[in-house]
């Protein structure tokens, strides 16, 4: 059974939302990783002082918020919810849609090495290049030489997504259980499994984005081509004269 065009458009809308949600979480994970790498090599670091304690818990708090969003918005299977899991369930129902023939489309193998341009789409390209590229992408996503994606393979992706979401839920629950604000105690749960879980969710999101849209998507901070460590290459506090515009120096501020 194949989906109609309106259903495919709905899938694309769901994917657009999932890409934003998952991309933001992955970006945060990567930024936190790079920031902690700077902290680890800092000659003035002091993990026990109030500043680093504040920064550490602020980052964990933000991670919990983003993990909750992923669990609630992408891990629910109800069809009325625009979630990644609901999308995969529909993909399993319409697994016949995910074929090499459909993915390659009207681009036919050229008879000659420098065949005429293919006219599909607003920007005609070499038929040889387009044919080879689409087949290469399908091979990398589904499997070399395979004609399509089976229902069983989609079910495996659903199980992988459920396992990743479950790890995020465990992290959220441990964070809540180990923080008793009435007693004034806080203890951050281990973050060791969070990056791997986010990576699984990212891989699944990217896979179905490619299969449904025939386009690729980058998830994470690297898409901005920005090195956040550059922020620490120069002093953060300017001279008192510049910082205070000639007024009295703020109490407790050490100026350069």
């Amino acid at each position: 059974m194949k989906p109609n065009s309106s259903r495919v458009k709905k899938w694309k809308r769901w994917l657009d939302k999932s890409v934003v949600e998952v991309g933001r979480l992955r970006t945060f994970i990567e930024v936190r990783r790079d920031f902690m790498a700077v902290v680890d090599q800092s000659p003035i670091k002091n993990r026990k002082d109030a500043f680093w304690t504040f920064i550490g818990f602020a980052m964990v708090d933000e991670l919990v918020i983003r993990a909750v969003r992923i669990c609630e918005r992408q891990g629910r299977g109800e069809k009325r919810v625009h979630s990644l899991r609901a999308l995969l369930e529909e993909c399993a129902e319409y697994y016949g849609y995910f074929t090499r023939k459909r993915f390659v489309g009207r681009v036919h193998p050229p008879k000659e090495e420098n065949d005429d341009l293919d006219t599909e789409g607003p920007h005609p390209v070499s038929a040889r290049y387009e044919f080879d590229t689409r087949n290469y992408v399908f091979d990398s996503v589904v499997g070399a030489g395979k004609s399509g994606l089976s229902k069983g393979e989609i079910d495996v992706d659903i199980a992988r997504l459920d396992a990743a979401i479950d790890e995020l839920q465990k992290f959220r629950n441990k964070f809540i259980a180990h923080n008793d604000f009435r007693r004034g105690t806080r203890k951050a749960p281990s973050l060791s499994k969070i990056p791997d879980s986010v990576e699984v969710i990212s891989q699944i999101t990217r896979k179905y984005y490619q299969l449904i849209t025939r386009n690729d998507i980058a998830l994470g901070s690297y898409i901005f081509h920005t090195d956040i460590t550059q922020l620490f290459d120069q002093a953060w506090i300017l001279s008192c004269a510049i910082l205070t515009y000639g007024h009295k120096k703020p109490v407790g501020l050490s100026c350069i």
Side-chain angles (χ1 to χ4, degrees):
M1 185 166 55
K2 296 182 179 180
N4 55 35
S5 59
S6 62
R7 185 176 295 276
V8 174
K9 289 180 180 178
K10 180 186 69 173
W11 288 353
K12 292 178 180 179
R13 291 197 302 270
W14 288 10
L15 276 171
D16 286 340
K17 294 180 179 179
S18 296
V19 163
V20 172
E21 201 77 42
V22 175
R24 286 174 177 171
L25 176 57
R26 178 162 177 166
T27 297
F28 182 81
I29 292 287
E30 293 173 354
V31 169
R32 181 186 179 278
R33 177 201 62 202
D34 293 344
F35 176 79
M36 296 310 295
V38 172
V39 172
D40 288 337
Q41 65 181 358
S42 171
I44 59 173
K45 73 173 182 179
N46 184 352
R47 293 291 186 89
K48 295 182 180 180
D49 71 14
F51 174 74
W52 291 121
T53 300
F54 171 78
I55 292 296
F57 278 113
M59 285 192 163
V60 173
D61 289 344
E62 181 64 20
L63 186 56
V64 170
I65 292 172
R66 294 180 183 275
V68 169
R69 286 176 180 170
I70 291 293
C71 293
E72 294 298 322
R73 297 182 184 179
Q74 305 304 327
R76 297 170 63 184
E78 299 95 329
K79 291 188 177 181
R80 62 182 180 84
V81 179
H82 295 180
S83 70
L84 183 59
R85 195 185 192 286
L87 169 67
L88 294 186
E89 288 183 352
E90 289 202 9
C91 289
E93 184 178 351
Y94 294 94
Y95 69 92
Y97 176 77
F98 300 96
T99 65
R100 183 182 297 271
K101 181 178 180 181
R102 196 278 310 174
F103 190 82
V104 174
R106 294 184 299 169
V107 181
H108 301 292
K111 298 178 182 179
E112 302 294 339
E113 182 64 30
N114 43 351
D115 204 349
D116 292 336
L117 293 178
D118 173 61
T119 57
E120 180 184 17
H123 304 291
V125 295
S126 163
R128 165 67 64 183
Y129 174 81
E130 188 70 10
F131 179 78
D132 289 345
T133 298
R134 291 192 180 183
N135 275 288
Y136 172 79
V137 172
F138 196 84
D139 284 342
S140 63
V141 174
V142 178
K146 297 186 66 174
S147 61
L149 193 65
S150 70
K151 183 179 183 303
E153 289 171 313
I154 300 176
D155 288 337
V156 169
D157 285 335
I158 293 176
R160 293 177 63 221
L161 176 63
D162 287 345
I165 293 291
D166 184 58
E167 285 297 335
L168 294 182
Q169 289 176 330
K170 288 179 181 178
F171 171 78
R172 176 196 62 185
N173 295 340
K174 286 182 180 179
F175 178 85
I176 295 173
H178 292 172
N179 285 274
D180 191 338
F181 295 98
R182 291 173 299 178
R183 298 180 181 177
T185 59
R186 295 200 68 182
K187 181 181 178 182
S190 173
L191 305 179
S192 59
K193 294 184 179 180
I194 298 302
D196 290 341
S197 299
V198 174
E199 178 63 25
V200 169
I201 298 172
S202 298
Q203 289 173 358
I204 294 173
T205 302
R206 183 184 180 192
K207 174 180 179 178
Y208 287 88
Y209 189 92
Q210 288 178 293
L211 288 175
I212 293 173
T213 69
R214 290 193 186 125
N215 295 314
D216 201 357
I217 188 69
L219 296 167
S221 60
Y222 59 86
I223 66 175
F224 302 112
H225 305 290
T226 300
D227 179 9
I228 70 159
T229 59
Q230 293 177 354
L231 178 67
F232 303 96
D233 288 341
Q234 53 187 323
W236 286 16
I237 300 178
L238 303 179
S239 68
C240 287
I242 298 176
L243 186 65
T244 62
Y245 299 96
H247 297 291
K248 186 178 179 181
K249 184 181 73 172
V251 176
L253 178 63
S254 298
C255 296
I256 297 173

